[in-house]
Amino acid sequence: ARPYGSPLQRRQEALAAAAKFENLFGAIARLELGRWGEINPAAIQEAIEAVQRQEWQIEENLLGLWMILQAYSTHPSFPEHLRPAIKQALIDYPYQNVTNPLSDACTIQNLAAEVLAGQWFPEEVFTASGKNGAWHRLHGEQQAQAWIIEKGELGLWPWNVGQDWPGILLALAQIATHADSVDLTDLAVVLLDKMLFLLAVNSFKGSFAASQGRASAASLKSSQLEATSGVSRLLWGMGVYNDFIAGLIGLACSEYEYPAFFQQIASQIPESFLHREKIASGREENVQTVHLVTYKTPDFQLSSAQD
C-alpha cells in the first residue's frame, strides 16, 4: 500500500517474481537475470507451437519469441534447435490477416510483432503474404502509427480494461525500444506516458480503481488479481505481483523510462482529488463516448461512467 525501494531494486524483484512461472515470459525473466542454467526450452517450444496453431494469446507469444530471438538467442548457452524454430514461427505468421476489433491489446501486439519481425528479417519472404520483411515492416509501421495516434487522441476502447493493458504496454515498450522508425518510437513513448499517467491518476494504494468498460470476475473480487497490479508495483512500488507478467516483463526489459513525477501522483494523494476524462470508440458515425469521473481522498476512491 506504500511505495518502497528504488526503480532498479523493484526491477530486479519483478524479474525474480516473474522467473517463478514456467511459461514463455517466465523464461524471458530468467534469461534477463542471467540464470542460464535454468533455461526452460519446453516453455519456449510450447509458445512456438501455440503461435503455429494460432491459439489464444498468440500475439503476446509472438512478441515474447521476438524478444528472445533478438536479445538472447546468440548466447552460447541458448538451445540451438530453438533459433530456427522461432524464426520460422515469426515468418510463417499471417500478420495482415489477423485482426481482433474487440481487443486493443491483440491489435497493437500484432502490429508490433510485424514491425519488429519485418526489420529483423528484411530479405526473408513471409509465408502467408509472399512479401518480404521490409514490406511487412513498412506495412506494420503505417498501421501502428495510425493506431497509436487514434488511441492517443480518443483513448482506449472499451475504457480502462485492466486485462488488456499489460499486452498494450508490452507492445509499446518493445516498439519504443527496438523499432527503427524514429516517428514510431516517439509515438509509442507518448502513448506509454499517457497510459501510465492515467494508471497513476486512477490508482489507489496500488489498485487500478477506475470505472472499467469491461472487467474480469477475478479483478472485481480482489485488486490483487487485477492485471495491472504488478506493473504498479514495478513502477511506483505499490501493488502486488501476480499471474499477469507479460506487461511487467515488457517494461522491465525495455529502455523506456516513465516520468518520475508519476510516482508522486500515484502515491501522494491530496485531501481532495477530482479527475475527469472523455473517451470515444472511434471517429466514424455512431461513435460511442463515455465521460469518466474519479474522486479520491487519502481514505477512499470512487469512479463512475456518467450518463
Side-chain angles (χ1 to χ4, degrees), residues 7 10 188-198 200-201 234-236 251 255-267:
R10 293 196 300 271
V189 169
V190 170
L191 187 53
L192 276 169
D193 286 350
K194 179 175 181 178
M195 289 183 67
L196 296 182
F197 171 78
L198 292 174
V201 164
L234 169 68
L235 297 181
W236 33 78
L251 288 168
E255 297 176 2
Y256 169 75
E257 295 184 9
Y258 67 97
F261 71 91
F262 286 6
Q263 182 180 27
Q264 297 174 340
I265 294 174
S267 62

Side-chain angles (χ1 to χ4, degrees), residues 32-50:
E32 184 68 15
L33 288 168
R35 289 157 52 174
W36 289 94
E38 302 174 31
I39 295 176
N40 186 352
I44 301 172
Q45 183 64 43
E46 183 178 343
I48 293 171
E49 294 172 0

Side-chain angles (χ1 to χ4, degrees), residues 1-77:
R2 296 183 182 87
Y4 74 97
S6 69
L8 180 59
Q9 290 172 329
R10 293 196 300 271
R11 178 183 183 273
Q12 293 301 107
E13 181 188 60
L15 290 170
K20 298 175 183 178
F21 289 88
E22 298 295 337
N23 58 25
L24 177 63
F25 286 92
I28 294 173
R30 295 176 191 177
L31 295 175
E32 184 68 15
L33 288 168
R35 289 157 52 174
W36 289 94
E38 302 174 31
I39 295 176
N40 186 352
I44 301 172
Q45 183 64 43
E46 183 178 343
I48 293 171
E49 294 172 0
V51 168
Q52 292 171 336
R53 294 191 296 266
Q54 297 187 32
E55 292 181 349
W56 182 64
Q57 289 186 321
I58 47 176
E59 295 88 357
E60 186 175 283
N61 283 329
L62 269 174
L63 274 177
L65 291 172
W66 184 86
M67 290 171 66
I68 286 178
L69 186 68
Q70 66 87 26
Y72 316 110
S73 65
T74 58
H75 192 281
S77 297

Side-chain angles (χ1 to χ4, degrees), residues 94-278:
Y95 298 94
Q96 71 278 16
N97 296 331
V98 180
T99 58
N100 186 345
L102 300 179
S103 173
D104 281 333
C106 290
T107 299
I108 190 57
Q109 286 178 118
N110 181 75
L111 293 172
E114 181 176 16
V115 170
L116 298 174
Q119 70 182 34
W120 195 258
F121 303 112
E123 302 301 327
E124 296 283 347
V125 175
F126 283 48
T127 307
S129 66
K131 308 286 188 181
N132 65 16
W135 182 91
H136 275 281
R137 171 193 165 182
L138 181 60
H139 175 267
E141 286 175 353
Q142 292 171 341
Q143 298 294 316
Q145 285 191 36
W147 185 91
I148 292 173
I149 290 171
E150 178 174 303
K151 299 306 175 181
E153 292 178 354
L154 304 179
L156 299 167
W157 190 272
W159 63 97
N160 295 334
V161 179
Q163 59 263 42
D164 277 359
W165 278 45
I168 298 170
L169 295 173
L170 165 68
L172 293 176
Q174 296 312 302
I175 290 174
T177 302
H178 298 293
D180 290 341
S181 168
V182 175
D183 291 341
L184 182 57
T185 59
D186 288 347
L187 285 170
V189 169
V190 170
L191 187 53
L192 276 169
D193 286 350
K194 179 175 181 178
M195 289 183 67
L196 296 182
F197 171 78
L198 292 174
L199 183 62
V201 164
N202 288 304
S203 289
F204 183 76
K205 298 181 180 180
S207 298
F208 189 31
S211 165
Q212 298 185 21
R214 186 176 73 242
S216 67
S219 68
L220 297 178
K221 292 177 181 178
S222 170
S223 64
Q224 293 187 10
L225 305 177
E226 211 278 321
T228 62
S229 182
V231 171
S232 293
R233 182 163 177 170
L234 169 68
L235 297 181
W236 33 78
M238 296 186 296
V240 297
Y241 299 124
N242 54 30
D243 293 354
F244 295 92
I245 63 172
L248 189 70
I249 295 301
L251 288 168
C253 297
S254 74
E255 297 176 2
Y256 169 75
E257 295 184 9
Y258 67 97
F261 71 91
F262 286 6
Q263 182 180 27
Q264 297 174 340
I265 294 174
S267 62
Q268 299 176 11
I269 304 174
E271 289 297 316
S272 178
F273 183 98
L274 183 67
H275 170 230
R276 298 180 183 272
E277 183 181 0
K278 177 184 176 181

